[in-house]
Amino acid sequence: MKQFYFTFFAIFSLSFTLYSQALDTPVDIGGYNMHFNIMKGEGTPILFETGGGDDSSVWKPILKRIHEVTGTTLITYDRSGFGQSELNPALKNDSDFGIENGIKELETGLAKLGYSDEIILVSHSYGGLYSLLYARKHPKKVKSIVLIDATLSNFWNEDFLAMRDMFVDINTIPKGTGDYYLNFNYNEVMRSLRNTQFPNNIPVTNIFPDKSAPVYPEEYSNRWKKVHVDLGTQNNNVTNIIAESSSHAVFSDNPALVINAIVKAYSETLDKNQQNIVLQKALDNAIELSIETKVHNRSEHDLNMLGYSFLQIQELDKALDVFKTTILLFPESANAYDSYGEALLIADKKTEAIEMYKKSIALNPNNEHGKEVLLKLKED
């Protein structure tokens, strides 16, 4: 049974060791510096946007694995007023430090670094709005976008902005900091971007938790989840991925899921042969990582979609190997048997497929899909 979970496991490859050292790179934006962190490589670069209040250091735990499996350039940076980046001293009004100014600074920095052509965007929380604006300004350059529980443009209606104002006191935030200007301009940014959509020519992977943190009011959590679900169901270019048992910072709670989604997005910029190499690397490491993370019940989903990835590029034997591995590692999973049965049918192994569907239904009597397939197989 196909689910919306993708996987590509990071491989520790000596061939990338010399290139996996990140370089701190200050860039003069026009009389003040912004801090970029570059992990150089070859291929379509990947740019990481942080959430509101964070700096680029939040991405550090996952960058090495992404770089080792993709070998491409990874770019993180501190927005002005955060981390090691300075504020523009020429701006005088608080409203001058809004998101449009942030996009201009980013464009200037990327151009000076030589990364103003094709790019992949990865963003968390408030950074999703940066990806939204950048993609709308450069729809032909952005190859794909990975959103990680991102702030969506249509979440903040007037009722929720009023609710936010009750909890955020701008007077408690030191003036002259990036955090101050972000919060000062927050409401107007949300109003200006309300209902702004991602370009429909750009593939978007939208990762979000199955439940919001319990500290949020129920109406907040329900609306947050609804706008994320709607983004995927109402747009053909958007694929939703639900991060089970994760908080807002999915990349911390379930780094494998985020890494895999990013590598999946990158792999789709490659030709079939190159993509197959990446998938082979994923297969080589899948069993070991699955055993290590089995207790979290997440790698089953990863393996499941690795199998489907092989099916998509018509590598049937490899897909069968992955699905067989999954049922060995997760013998109580009805979904694992269902998926293996589907692959066996594609391989024209009807007898084995029937056995897999029987086991799936025995484990999950509510598997209506499996019952339908099994009934049809018996009728043939």
Side-chain angles (χ1 to χ4, degrees):
M1 184 183 298
K2 188 173 182 179
Q3 299 183 13
F4 290 118
Y5 293 87
F6 296 115
T7 186
F8 288 84
F9 298 94
I11 306 301
F12 292 94
S13 172
L14 291 176
S15 61
F16 292 131
T17 300
L18 296 177
Y19 301 96
S20 62
Q21 297 301 315
L23 302 176
D24 288 333
T25 310
V27 178
D28 186 339
I29 304 299
Y32 62 105
N33 285 334
M34 286 185 66
H35 173 255
F36 284 78
N37 193 289
I38 313 295
M39 195 172 283
K40 292 188 176 182
E42 297 181 0
T44 305
I46 305 175
L47 172 72
F48 294 77
E49 286 284 356
T50 62
D54 289 329
D55 60 40
S56 59
S57 64
V58 299
W59 298 113
K60 188 175 181 180
I62 67 172
L63 293 179
K64 184 178 179 182
R65 287 195 169 200
I66 296 170
H67 191 261
E68 285 170 339
V69 71
T70 64
T72 195
T73 297
L74 307 182
I75 307 167
T76 63
Y77 78 105
D78 299 337
R79 288 195 283 270
S80 60
F82 292 96
Q84 300 180 51
S85 289
E86 300 167 348
L87 288 162
N88 185 349
L91 301 181
K92 303 302 181 184
N93 302 314
D94 292 351
S95 58
D96 294 338
F97 293 90
I99 194 169
E100 291 286 355
N101 175 67
I103 292 293
K104 291 178 182 177
E105 292 175 328
L106 173 61
E107 290 171 324
T108 301
L110 290 176
K112 288 197 170 187
L113 289 166
Y115 298 116
S116 56
D117 293 324
E118 292 185 346
I119 200 164
I120 294 169
L121 305 178
V122 176
S123 53
H124 174 239
S125 193
Y126 187 80
L129 300 177
Y130 273 75
S131 289
L132 172 65
L133 278 179
Y134 193 91
R136 288 185 64 84
K137 292 188 71 173
H138 307 284
K140 294 182 179 179
K141 293 182 178 181
V142 176
K143 303 302 292 181
S144 64
I145 300 171
V146 177
L147 303 175
I148 305 169
D149 208 22
T151 302
L152 300 182
S153 60
N154 59 337
F155 173 80
W156 289 103
N157 59 23
E158 291 303 316
D159 289 341
F160 279 85
L161 287 177
M163 182 189 299
R164 183 179 186 275
D165 287 339
M166 294 172 60
F167 294 98
V168 178
D169 184 358
I170 190 72
N171 296 313
T172 65
I173 304 173
K175 193 168 183 178
T177 63
D179 200 32
Y180 173 86
Y181 293 121
L182 184 152
N183 283 282
F184 179 88
N185 290 292
Y186 197 93
N187 288 9
E188 287 310 309
V189 167
M190 297 307 160
R191 291 187 178 105
S192 68
L193 295 180
R194 191 170 291 161
N195 298 319
T196 305
Q197 300 296 317
F198 288 96
N200 58 19
N201 67 301
I202 300 175
V204 177
T205 302
N206 181 37
I207 304 172
F208 58 97
D210 51 349
K211 296 178 181 178
S212 294
V215 297
Y216 296 119
E218 185 177 1
E219 60 267 35
Y220 177 105
S221 299
N222 290 341
R223 179 172 173 80
W224 185 271
K225 184 172 183 179
K226 182 179 186 304
V227 296
H228 276 274
V229 170
D230 289 348
L231 182 67
T233 57
Q234 297 175 4
N235 297 278
N236 293 331
N237 62 313
V238 179
T239 299
N240 281 348
I241 300 179
I242 299 176
E244 295 184 351
S245 304
S246 288
S247 67
H248 183 49
V250 183
F251 53 84
S252 294
D253 294 331
N254 194 348
L257 178 63
V258 172
I259 291 168
N260 298 335
I262 294 169
V263 178
K264 165 73 172 177
Y266 174 76
S267 73
E268 292 176 350
T269 68
L270 306 174
D271 62 33
K272 182 177 177 180
N273 289 336
Q274 292 173 312
Q275 188 177 35
N276 196 27
I277 291 172
V278 174
L279 285 168
Q280 183 61 55
K281 290 180 179 180
L283 178 58
D284 290 343
N285 199 48
I287 298 175
E288 179 181 350
L289 187 56
S290 295
I291 292 171
E292 291 174 0
T293 61
K294 182 178 177 181
V295 67
H296 300 296
N297 196 29
R298 287 170 176 162
S299 56
E300 175 200 340
H301 302 296
D302 294 338
L303 280 171
N304 189 59
M305 284 314 301
L306 177 59
Y308 281 108
S309 296
F310 277 120
L311 287 180
Q312 289 170 2
I313 63 169
Q314 299 178 345
E315 292 285 348
L316 184 55
D317 289 341
K318 292 176 182 177
L320 290 170
D321 286 343
V322 173
F323 288 129
K324 185 175 182 179
T325 298
T326 308
I327 66 169
L328 292 173
L329 289 170
F330 302 93
E332 302 303 316
S333 170
N335 184 67
Y337 286 103
D338 188 288
S339 297
Y340 191 22
E342 183 177 344
L344 287 167
L345 279 182
I346 295 173
D348 199 26
K349 297 182 178 181
K350 180 179 175 181
T351 302
E352 294 95 323
I354 289 173
E355 290 304 311
M356 293 303 107
Y357 279 111
K358 284 181 177 179
K359 290 182 179 179
S360 177
I361 294 167
L363 289 166
N364 177 20
N366 295 319
N367 182 1
E368 299 302 327
H369 169 263
K371 291 178 183 178
E372 291 175 5
V373 174
L374 192 58
L375 181 62
K376 184 177 180 180
L377 288 174
K378 289 181 177 179
E379 290 175 348
D380 291 343

